[in-house]
Amino acid sequence: MLLLLECDDWTISFWSKITPAATSTHFPLISKGGVQKKRKFDQRNSIYTMQDDISSMIGITGSYNKVRTPFVIGFESNSNSGSWHFQSSNGAESLHIQTDFADYKSADTDWTHVAVRNSASFCQIFINGVASDASGSIPTGVTANQSDIIIGSFISGSMISPNSDLAEIRMYDYAVNSTALL
C-alpha cells in the first residue's frame, strides 16, 4: 500500500494519449479517492460484509480544500489549449499545480509522458521530461485516505469523458532522478 505523506519522497509516472472532445473538458485520470471498502452489517444474514462505498470525485480544476487525498492527476482541455493538473489536500488546505500548453490542439493525439515528483517536500510536474514552472509543497498534516486508487475518469456532474489511453503507470516510493523522467 502506497501512503503519501508530505515528508515522503515519491514519484508517479505514466504515458497518456488523449483525444479530448472539441468542447471544454476537465477530468482526473489517476486519483486516490471516490471508492473505498467499508465494513457493513447485513441485518438479513446477521453478518458483516465488505462493500464499496462510492462518492463522486470533483473535476480536476475544482477545489479540493474539503477533500482529503494524497493525489489527483488529470487533464483539462478546450479547442485550442490544454493543461495537466496535480492536486493534494489534507482536507483543510490543498496544493494545486497546473501546467499550460497554449499550442495544444484537440486533434493532437501523441503519447505524452507525465510524471509528478515529490522530493524533500517540493512537488512538481514533468511533461516529456521537462519540469514545469509550477511547483509547491504538499499540505502539512495527513493527506492519506482509505480510498482505492482509481485509474480513469471518475467524476460527478455532466462532464464529458475523454477518449484517453494510459500506459506504463508507475508509482515509486522515492523521488526518481531527472534523467529517469524522460
Side-chain angles (χ1 to χ4, degrees):
M1 175 162 95
L2 179 68
L3 293 177
L4 303 177
L5 303 174
E6 78 275 357
C7 60
D8 288 341
D9 289 351
W10 51 264
T11 305
I12 300 171
S13 76
F14 58 94
W15 286 90
S16 174
K17 184 176 179 182
I18 297 175
T19 309
T23 59
S24 179
T25 60
H26 45 99
F27 48 86
L29 285 173
I30 300 175
S31 60
K32 188 157 183 345
V35 178
Q36 61 181 299
K37 296 284 186 204
K38 290 240 175 149
R39 186 175 169 200
K40 298 195 179 187
F41 185 71
D42 179 354
Q43 292 183 353
R44 184 174 146 185
N45 296 317
S46 296
I47 59 170
Y48 283 96
T49 60
M50 296 300 286
Q51 297 177 356
D52 286 341
D53 184 30
I54 300 172
S55 59
S56 296
M57 287 292 289
I58 300 166
I60 192 60
T61 59
S63 172
Y64 280 77
N65 285 343
K66 295 184 180 183
V67 177
R68 187 172 7 165
T69 181
F71 63 89
V72 180
I73 303 168
F75 191 77
E76 173 186 30
S77 71
N78 59 40
S79 60
N80 59 4
S81 66
S83 57
W84 283 96
H85 296 259
F86 168 81
Q87 297 225 37
S88 179
S89 176
N90 63 12
E93 55 187 29
S94 63
L95 168 66
H96 182 187
I97 301 173
Q98 175 179 336
T99 63
D100 293 318
F101 300 100
D103 61 348
Y104 176 85
K105 304 287 185 235
S106 61
D108 289 349
T109 58
D110 291 338
W111 283 96
T112 301
H113 185 258
V114 179
V116 178
R117 179 178 69 185
N118 188 57
S119 178
S121 297
F122 180 71
C123 190
Q124 63 189 140
I125 299 176
F126 293 78
I127 305 298
N128 292 326
V130 178
S132 70
D133 292 336
S135 61
S137 294
I138 301 292
T140 58
V142 178
T143 61
N145 62 31
Q146 294 296 316
S147 296
D148 295 335
I149 294 173
I150 304 296
I151 298 173
S153 187
F154 182 71
I155 52 179
S156 63
S158 60
M159 297 175 201
I160 299 167
S161 293
N163 179 9
S164 60
D165 295 316
L166 296 175
E168 298 184 36
I169 300 167
R170 297 178 179 163
M171 296 184 178
Y172 302 90
D173 62 356
Y174 57 92
V176 172
N177 67 36
S178 295
T179 58
L181 295 173
L182 298 174

